Amino acid sequence: MTPAELAVLAVLRPNLPLTSTQVQQAARLTAARARNALSQLESRGLIMASRPRGRYRITPRGRAALITKSR
């Protein structure tokens, strides 16, 4: 897992979906790095898109990965 992906997982919450711009700002990433990280994490099932469209939240699997990688 890349540092950008870890940063994205760290700012997402299960009950507070964020837009990609909010994720980018909170994780202090460039737009391209944030988009890439969101895409990779979503493809692995660690985050999911939610309503309203364009918002993301962490999945239980993503929380487990974050805890494991943070140790």
Side-chain angles (χ1 to χ4, degrees):
M1 189 171 304
T2 67
E5 291 170 350
L6 285 172
V8 168
L9 286 178
V11 300
L12 289 175
R13 301 288 176 260
N15 298 322
L16 181 63
L18 299 176
T19 66
S20 59
T21 301
Q22 291 170 318
V23 170
Q24 173 193 342
Q25 292 170 348
R28 297 183 178 181
L29 297 171
T30 64
R33 287 184 75 198
R35 277 193 310 271
N36 288 340
L38 287 167
S39 175
Q40 291 298 313
L41 292 167
E42 187 174 16
S43 73
R44 294 197 311 263
L46 301 178
I47 65 170
M48 61 184 270
S50 64
R51 300 216 182 257
R53 188 173 179 197
R55 294 180 182 265
Y56 298 89
R57 67 179 65 204
I58 194 168
T59 64
R61 187 173 166 199
R63 283 193 304 269
L66 178 61
I67 290 167
T68 301
K69 295 293 181 179
S70 296
R71 289 183 184 172

